[in-house]
Amino acid sequence: MSCHHALYFQETFHDPVLTAALTDRLTHKSHVVNMVTPSFRMRETEEWMKKSTEEEVAQN
């Protein structure tokens, strides 16, 4: 579903009943895998930002 915690969705929708209904529908007949590992997208973004910064410094 997402890498966000369930409370994030409650803050987004401002209604705990709506949040519960939506997450119930989204996760119905699914397998929820709770992965406690660093995000690949976050790592790639950090590497990209570091590379961009290094290239910018090299140009100046």
Side-chain angles (χ1 to χ4, degrees), residues 1-18:
M1 187 165 104
S2 175
C3 61
H4 294 291
H5 192 271
L7 292 177
Y8 170 80
F9 294 105
Q10 187 170 334
E11 292 173 3
T12 301
F13 297 120
H14 304 290
D15 183 357
V17 176
L18 175 62

Side-chain angles (χ1 to χ4, degrees), residues 27-54:
T27 58
H28 180 68
K29 292 188 178 181
S30 67
H31 298 277
V32 178
V33 179
N34 187 9
M35 298 178 62
V36 187
T37 60
S39 166
F40 289 108
R41 286 181 278 175
M42 182 63 78
R43 186 183 72 206
E44 289 176 351
T45 301
E46 288 171 350
E47 289 173 358
W48 175 79
M49 290 175 64
K50 182 180 176 184
K51 181 179 176 184
S52 297
T53 304
E54 290 172 354

